[in-house]
Amino acid sequence: VQLQASGGGLVQPGGSLRLSCVASGSIFSINAMGWYRQAPGKQRELVTGITSGGFTSYAASVKGRFTISGDIVKTVYLQMNSLEPEDTAVYYCYADEDAKKVDGLGLPEFWGQGTLVTVSS
């Protein structure tokens, strides 16, 4: 499985961005997709995930501001609203056969390249 992420950039506090992640290859086995992020000097953290059954989960820090959507077999999107400087990080798309990965139960198997999101005035 290959994952191609896009959509990062520079945005002012309070602004919005939408990230995309396109999956290709042996995608028929994928049951979970989503995003991690890693801020400078910090560990990678789970942001959100969506399962093939449509279940979604979010980190407490982004709930109500971020929305994940899409066709898990092909493309998922992360709509990020009301962005804060603390959201500045490299965002990594992930995919896995195990739907439990959206709850952070183990690291996903497949990763995309990171896309940088910078929230700054």
Side-chain angles (χ1 to χ4, degrees):
V1 174
Q2 294 79 45
L3 302 173
Q4 181 68 43
S6 62
L10 173 64
V11 63
Q12 292 187 340
S16 300
L17 278 177
R18 189 175 83 154
L19 306 183
S20 301
C21 179
V22 179
S24 61
S26 300
I27 61 176
F28 60 90
S29 62
I30 296 302
N31 288 301
M33 289 184 71
W35 301 86
Y36 273 73
R37 69 184 180 186
Q38 187 167 19
K42 295 186 177 181
Q43 289 188 329
R44 192 172 295 192
E45 64 172 348
L46 177 62
V47 177
T48 182
I50 184 169
T51 70
S52 55
F55 173 80
T56 59
S57 66
Y58 298 92
S61 59
V62 307
K63 195 172 292 186
R65 300 187 297 121
F66 290 12
T67 303
I68 189 169
S69 64
D71 179 353
I72 192 174
V73 180
K74 297 180 181 178
T75 305
V76 292
Y77 304 97
L78 180 60
Q79 179 66 42
M80 304 185 294
N81 297 329
S82 302
L83 283 161
E84 305 168 351
E86 293 72 25
D87 296 316
T88 295
V90 177
Y91 285 70
Y92 296 91
C93 177
Y94 71 85
D96 199 278
E97 296 179 3
D98 186 355
K100 297 184 184 71
K101 292 301 192 294
V102 302
D103 289 326
L105 297 178
L107 289 177
E109 181 174 359
F110 304 106
W111 295 88
Q113 88 290 1
T115 184
L116 177 62
V117 172
T118 303
V119 185
S120 176
S121 56

